[in-house]
Each structure stands twice: as C-alpha cells, then as structure tokens.
Amino acid sequence: MSENLKRLTAAGVSIWLDDISRERLRTGNLAALIREKYVTGVTSNPTIFASALSKGDAYDAQLRDLATRGVSVDEAVRAITTFDIRWAADVLKPVYDGTHGVDGRVSIEVDPRLARNTEATIAEARALWWLVDRPNVHIKIPATVEGLPAITQAISEGISVNVTLIFSLERYRQVMDAWLTGLEKARAAGLNLSGIESVASFFVSRVDTEIDARLDKIGTPEAKELKGKAGVANARLAFAAFEEVVNSPRWQELRAAGAHPQRPLWASTGVKNPDYPDTLYVDQLVTAGVVNTMPEKTLDAAADHGKISGDTIRPFYEQAWNVMAALKEAGIDYDDVVRVLEEEGVEKFEKSWTELLETVETELRKA
C-alpha cells in the first residue's frame, strides 16, 4: 500500500486508471490496483484499445468467434471493447456500491468519427449505454460544439456521461451549462437525479506541450520562464469556474433534488517533458472533489515519490491568473491554443479509431 496514494485519496482526490486491457482484467491486475493503489475508476479511449489489441493473445478466442460469425469490423470493435468495459465495471462494482455510485466508474468513448455530428453522437451514446448495461459505466462524449447538445440529451435520459477533450475555460463553462440543462430536463421527466453521474475531463499536459512549443519560438527569457506552467494554471482556473457553478442557486436547486456534482477530472496527466517532475500533474492539482485519471506509469510514480502536501488548487487561483496574464503578455494566443488542441484531439482519436478498426480487420482475417 502506498502512503502517497493513501494521502492523495484522503485529500479527496479519486484515483482512476487511464488504461484498460483484457490482459489486465484476466490476470487480476485491475483488482490488485484497486486493493493496493487506491484505484477507484477506469477511463479508456481509442488509443488505449488499439494498444491493448496489438499485444498478446487475450483477444484471440473472441476474434475467432467474431470471424466465424462473419460480423463487420465495426460490430467486432464494439463487441470487443464493450466486453472489456463490462468486465471492468463488474470488477469495480464493489467500489461503486461502497461510494453510493460516485466512484467505481468505467468510461467508454463514442466513436470519435461522430464528434462533429450531434444526432449520431446521441444515438451512439444510447447504444453504448444499452450494450454495456452496467449502472457504473460512463459514456464519453467529446466537448465539441456539436457534442454539447448531445451531453444535455444523454444526461436528460439518465445516461451518465464523461465529457472528454476539454481544453478551454470557456468551453468548460459551456459543458457545465449542458450538464445542468440535462439534469433539469431529467428532473422534469421525473427521473431519479441521484443515479446520474458525470465528470468533465479537463486535459492538462497537452496544454503545456502546445504552449511550451510556442514559448520556445518566442524565445525570450521571459517566455522560457513560463514553460511548464500553463497546464496547471489552466486546470486550477477550471476548478475556480467549477466552484462558481456549484455555489450558484441553479445548482443548489438541483442538489436539493438529489443531483450529484459533475466532478472535474484531470486527464492527460502523463508528463510529456522529461525536464518536469513526472508527478507534476498529480502533486499540483490536489483538492477535494476531483478525479485524477493516470496512466500506470504516472500512478506508479505518484505511489513511489509523489509529493502530496494538502490543497494545491484553491490557494493558488491568483497565481494561476498571473500565469495566464504573463502568457498573454508574452504573445501566447490562448484562444488559438485551445482551438488547435481540440482539433488535434479529435483528429488523434479518429486516427486511433481507424488504427483500431485496421487492427481488428487484420486479426479477423488471421482468426
């Protein structure tokens, strides 16, 4: 048992694993991480599934069955991914029960090729919710402009949602509005609000990667001094925006009706720059009521040498605003940064989905 992860949990941070594979499930590794490293949830994405399928033999038997049935590649991908999500949800069910449905969650993403299509995203979210058929699943919907009404619709129907690919503060506020509207519609329809969970995945390291590259191009000493500060500052200000919303009369009314808050989830927490501490996006984003989803490498680093020292968000709002002001002064166009990151995020997941389809197609031929 890691004392660092114990302290992180005690500080009110839910630790989720940003990875899934059938090998991890069949060996009992996920169950071990729940016992030994305080893991209380799992997130997945197309890249993670593409990687899992390219290694080992855990999927061979199912692939042979799918090939024998002659199913389409798209159907095979859905069968394979939802199988893993159901299994992980069952492993995490005791955590779900023990936290009254707040944690013990497993996320599966809608087909990222639908990110710019509202109606198709809604239909896919319904299909995944039905197909996985577990109360502790989250359906991941991207925070594109077209994704916002899909988030509202899914939540209004009682579907728990993980909103993904959030980079900008403005878009995050729009996400929270979409979530609140969905809850209001669910209440009007007579649904039990306490059963609808949502998290908002705010991406961290990719912000630093993009802004650091721009600061290097600017090249001044002042610009270089700001490297590695934007991701944490942006996330801290996102939490400030979250606090504004949960202190609003609109939210208080929904809470009184049984709703749970849409927790901020720190995503993209693996440190890309080797010059930075490998636990940067864990140590610097600690406060009660958030989720941090980590790749296993980051989880292990946090367990081994994380520096958990109380709340590292709320006391640093002013510092975060100062960082953002200094970035603007240095010539960083924040709106352009977050636009590029969203476009790249959708493209990367589309590419990974295509790779996943190609991998499954190849494996079906071999099966």
Side-chain angles (χ1 to χ4, degrees):
M1 304 291 277
S2 163
E3 282 301 311
N4 289 332
L5 297 181
K6 184 179 180 181
R7 279 198 295 273
L8 188 61
T9 300
V13 177
S14 291
I15 300 168
W16 290 8
L17 178 71
D18 192 26
D19 190 56
I20 194 170
S21 70
R22 194 156 306 171
E23 186 66 20
R24 193 184 285 286
L25 291 162
R26 74 177 184 178
T27 60
N29 172 264
L30 177 59
L33 291 175
I34 294 167
R35 284 193 312 272
E36 298 164 12
K37 292 194 172 167
Y38 299 89
V39 168
T40 60
V42 167
T43 48
S44 69
N45 61 45
T47 306
I48 285 168
F49 275 118
S51 173
L53 265 154
S54 67
K55 299 169 188 166
D57 62 358
Y59 297 93
D60 289 1
Q62 189 180 17
L63 283 161
R64 280 194 298 274
D65 285 348
L66 292 165
T68 301
R69 289 173 52 215
V71 304
S72 70
V73 175
D74 277 340
E75 187 181 340
V77 166
R78 276 289 163 245
I80 289 163
T81 55
T82 55
F83 186 99
D84 283 2
I85 295 298
R86 273 193 300 276
W87 191 344
D90 290 343
V91 173
L92 279 155
K93 185 64 161 50
V95 178
Y96 170 82
D97 291 337
T99 60
H100 305 289
V102 175
D103 280 312
R105 296 271 168 177
V106 186
S107 297
I108 184 169
E109 188 134 2
V110 298
D111 183 336
R113 295 172 298 179
L114 309 176
R116 305 293 181 190
N117 185 327
T118 302
E119 290 306 316
T121 295
I122 293 168
E124 181 84 350
R126 288 174 181 145
L128 284 171
W129 184 252
W130 172 83
L131 196 55
V132 174
D133 194 26
R134 295 292 186 274
N136 52 329
V137 70
H138 268 143
I139 307 303
K140 287 179 85 172
I141 297 176
T144 55
V145 169
E146 298 83 357
L148 294 170
I151 293 159
T152 293
Q153 186 60 33
I155 288 171
S156 77
E157 295 178 16
I159 296 171
S160 293
V161 174
N162 176 342
V163 184
T164 188
L165 288 176
I166 309 172
F167 299 97
S168 85
L169 297 170
E170 181 185 1
R171 183 57 52 81
Y172 179 41
R173 289 190 179 95
Q174 292 170 344
V175 164
M176 288 190 285
D177 180 68
W179 157 67
L180 290 168
T181 303
L183 286 176
E184 287 161 350
K185 289 185 174 184
R187 182 181 56 177
L191 298 187
N192 177 8
L193 300 190
S194 67
I196 307 170
E197 285 293 331
S198 185
V199 293
S201 294
F202 203 87
F203 280 51
V204 188
S205 68
R206 292 191 197 181
V207 174
D208 273 337
T209 301
E210 178 65 26
I211 288 182
D212 283 1
R214 297 185 184 210
L215 290 168
D216 279 335
K217 281 184 184 173
I218 293 167
T220 63
E222 293 81 6
K224 291 188 175 181
E225 187 64 31
L226 290 166
K227 286 180 66 176
K229 294 181 178 176
V232 167
N234 198 41
R236 284 170 171 167
L237 294 178
F239 193 81
F242 166 75
E243 285 202 306
E244 285 176 25
V245 168
V246 295
N247 286 322
S248 68
R250 185 182 182 191
W251 164 246
Q252 296 300 329
E253 191 175 324
L254 287 164
R255 188 178 72 166
H260 294 165
Q262 181 190 59
R263 290 181 296 170
L265 179 151
W266 311 130
S268 179
T269 56
V271 174
K272 309 287 194 292
N273 189 330
D275 294 337
Y276 303 156
D278 56 1
T279 60
L280 175 67
Y281 305 125
V282 179
D283 302 342
Q284 296 300 306
L285 293 173
V286 176
T287 198
V290 299
V291 181
N292 193 314
T293 186
M294 311 175 203
E296 192 167 20
K297 185 177 177 184
T298 303
L299 179 67
D300 289 344
D304 181 64
H305 52 265
K307 295 178 173 62
I308 311 305
S309 56
D311 193 323
T312 52
I313 293 182
R314 286 186 176 93
F316 298 99
Y317 289 156
E318 186 177 356
Q319 185 184 97
W321 281 119
N322 290 341
V323 167
M324 302 310 272
L327 287 166
K328 184 177 182 180
E329 197 173 319
I332 297 297
D333 183 343
Y334 177 83
D335 290 340
D336 185 64
V337 167
V338 294
R339 178 190 61 77
V340 166
L341 286 170
E342 182 182 299
E343 288 175 3
E344 283 182 353
V346 172
E347 284 171 15
K348 283 176 182 174
F349 279 174
E350 280 184 10
K351 185 181 175 187
S352 295
W353 193 262
T354 302
E355 287 171 6
L356 179 57
L357 292 168
E358 289 168 353
T359 301
V360 170
E361 189 172 24
T362 302
E363 295 298 325
L364 287 171
R365 282 204 211 98
K366 291 192 321 196

